[in-house]
C-alpha cells in the first residue's frame, strides 16, 4: 500500500528560483559574494544608509519582475492542488514566483520584495515603483520610513507560530533549494523529525543539514522536483 501523507510541509530557498534567473546567496557569484550582508540586509544598514539599502532592493525588485516561475514552482503548485493531503509551502524567498505558479497555501517567512513596510506605522502594502528614502508612507504620511517588506538579519521572520505548529504535526517535510545556513529555517528539518515526519532534501548539492534527512535527491530543481512530485501523486 503506497504511503499517503496527511500533512506535507515544504521549505524552499533561493535554489528554487535559480533556474528562473534569480541569483542565490551563497553559490559561486551569489549575492553575498558581491555585496556584504551588513551593508544591505540589517536594520543597522538601513539606519546608516537608507538609500543605499533601498537601491539594493530596488535592483532585486526589478530583477524579480522580469522573471517567470520554472517547472519546479509549477510542480509544487500542482502538488498543492492535486495531492489528497494538506500541503503548506514555507519559502525563504522574497520573489513572487510561487504565487505566480499557482501556490496559495504559502508563507513568505522572510517577507516579499514587491511589498513595502513602513518603519513608523508598520503598514504593509504592494509597491510597484522604486523606493525612495523621502517617500511619504501612504498610511501615516510620515517620510523616511518606507523599507522593503523583507526580514533582515537579526529580525524575526513572519508567521513563526504558524510554521512551528505545522512542523509539529507534519508527516512529510521536503526541503528544496536551500543551503541550510540561516536559522530559524535551517532548524525546521529537526523540528519535523521530532514530530516523526519523513524528511527529504531536493537540492543541487548536500546542504548543511544533510545529516537530518531520511532521503536526499541531488540535482537541478527543475528536474528533481517535478520527478519527486510525480512520485507523490502516483501514490
Ligand atoms: P544568523 O546568525 O542565523 O546568520 C545566518 C547566516 O547568515 C550566517 O551563517 C552567515 O552566513 C550570514 N550572516 C548573518 N549575519 C551576517 C553578517 N553580519 N555578516 C555576514 N554574514 C552574516 O542570522 P541572524 O543575524 O541571527 O538573523 C537570523 C534572522 O534573520 C532570522 O530571523 C532570519 O529569518 C532572518 N534573515 C533574513 C534574511 C533576509 O535577507 N531576508 C537573511 C538572513 C536571515
Ligand atoms: N536547483 C536546486 N538547488 C539549487 C540550484 C538549482 N538549480 N541552484 C542552487 N541550488 C542550491 C545550492 O546548492 C544551495 O544549497 O540552492 C541553495 C541556495 O542556498 P543559498 O544561496 O544559501 O540560499 P538560501 O538557502 O535560500 O539562503 C537562506 O539567507 O541571505 C539569506 O534571506 C536570505 O532567504 C535567504 C537565506
Amino acid at each position: 500500500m503506497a504511503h499517503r501523507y496527511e500533512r506535507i510541509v515544504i521549505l524552499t530557498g533561493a535554489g528554487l528560483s535559480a533556474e528562473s534567473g534569480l541569483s542565490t546567496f551563497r553559490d559561486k557569484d551569489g549575492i553575498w559574494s558581491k555585496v556584504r550582508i551588513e551593508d544591505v540586509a540589517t536594520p543597522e544598514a538601513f539606519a546608516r544608509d537608507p538609500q543605499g539599502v533601498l537601491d539594493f532592493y530596488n535592483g532585486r525588485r526589478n530583477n524579480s519582475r522580469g522573471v517567470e516561475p520554472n517547472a519546479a514552482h509549477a510542480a509544487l503548485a500542482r502538488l498543492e492542488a492535486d495531492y489528497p493531503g494538506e500541503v503548506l509551502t514555507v519559502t525563504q524567498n522574497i520573489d513572487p514566483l510561487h504565487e505566480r505558479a499557482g501556490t496559495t497555501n504559502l508563507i513568505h517567512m522572510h517577507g516579499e520584495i514587491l511589498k513595502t513596510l513602513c518603519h513608523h506605522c508598520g503598514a504593509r502594502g504592494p509597491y510597484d515603483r522604486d523606493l525612495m528614502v523621502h517617500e511619504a508612507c501612504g498610511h501615516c504620511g510620515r517620510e523616511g520610513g518606507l523599507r522593503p517588506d523583507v526580514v533582515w538579519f537579526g529580525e524575526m521572520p513572519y508567521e513563526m507560530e504558524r510554521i512551528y505548529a505545522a512542523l509539529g504535526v507534519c508527516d512529510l517535510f521536503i526541503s528544496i533549494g536551500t543551503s541550510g545556513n540561516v536559522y530559524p529555517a535551517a532548524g525546521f528539518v529537526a523540528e519535523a523529525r521530532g514530530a516523526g515526519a519523513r524528511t527529504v532534501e531536493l537540492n543541487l548539492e548536500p546542504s548543511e543539514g544533510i545529516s537530518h534527512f531520511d532521503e536526499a535527491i541531488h540535482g537541478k530543481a527543475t528536474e528533481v522536483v517535478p520527478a519527486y512530485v510525480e512520485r507523490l501523486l502516483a501514490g
Side-chain angles (χ1 to χ4, degrees):
M1 171 63 182
H3 192 123
R4 189 172 83 76
Y5 298 101
E6 299 296 323
R7 280 174 294 276
I8 300 176
V9 174
I10 300 167
L11 171 68
T12 65
L16 184 77
S17 299
E19 289 163 88
S20 292
L22 292 179
S23 298
T24 62
F25 292 93
R26 297 174 183 85
D27 287 320
K28 192 170 86 52
D29 295 336
I31 292 174
W32 300 141
S33 70
K34 299 189 175 73
V35 64
R36 297 185 331 154
I37 285 173
E38 52 267 59
D39 291 343
V40 294
T42 65
E44 297 75 16
F46 186 65
R48 188 172 59 242
D49 175 18
Q51 193 58 54
V53 170
L54 295 183
D55 290 346
F56 170 69
Y57 284 97
N58 287 336
R60 289 185 62 194
R61 168 200 312 272
N62 294 329
N63 293 344
S64 73
R65 272 218 201 84
V67 296
E68 295 301 321
N70 61 50
H73 294 103
L76 295 179
R78 189 164 61 248
L79 183 68
E80 178 193 317
D82 298 346
Y83 192 75
E86 188 187 318
V87 177
L88 170 66
T89 301
V90 180
T91 188
Q92 300 172 89
N93 298 340
I94 57 179
D95 65 55
L97 296 179
H98 272 303
E99 43 275 63
R100 285 180 49 196
T103 290
T104 54
N105 194 18
L106 174 66
I107 295 176
H108 275 278
M109 65 179 285
H110 284 169
E112 298 174 67
I113 189 76
L114 295 184
K115 289 190 177 155
T116 53
L117 171 68
C118 174
H119 214 56
H120 301 308
C121 71
R124 293 167 68 186
Y127 204 80
D128 59 5
R129 298 191 306 282
D130 280 358
L131 283 173
M132 301 309 288
V133 68
H134 298 302
E135 192 103 15
C137 167
H139 188 77
C140 71
R142 279 179 281 179
E143 292 186 357
L146 277 185
R147 57 176 273 188
D149 187 14
V150 167
V151 176
W152 286 324
F153 284 96
E155 296 180 326
M156 270 309 288
Y158 286 120
E159 301 212 53
M160 288 311 294
E161 268 184 47
R162 184 175 157 211
I163 294 170
Y164 283 121
L167 291 168
V169 297
C170 74
D171 50 8
L172 178 62
F173 176 78
I174 311 169
S175 178
I176 304 173
T178 180
S179 63
N181 269 299
V182 175
Y183 286 83
F188 290 174
V189 59
E191 293 290 323
R193 279 187 80 84
R198 177 170 176 72
T199 55
V200 179
E201 170 173 282
L202 308 178
N203 204 56
L204 195 61
E205 59 202 13
S207 72
E208 292 289 316
I210 186 66
S211 61
H212 294 290
F213 289 93
D214 298 310
E215 182 181 6
I217 305 169
H218 293 132
K220 289 187 168 184
T222 55
E223 291 160 15
V224 300
V225 175
Y228 189 73
V229 165
E230 288 319 311
R231 239 174 78 187
L232 286 175
L233 291 174

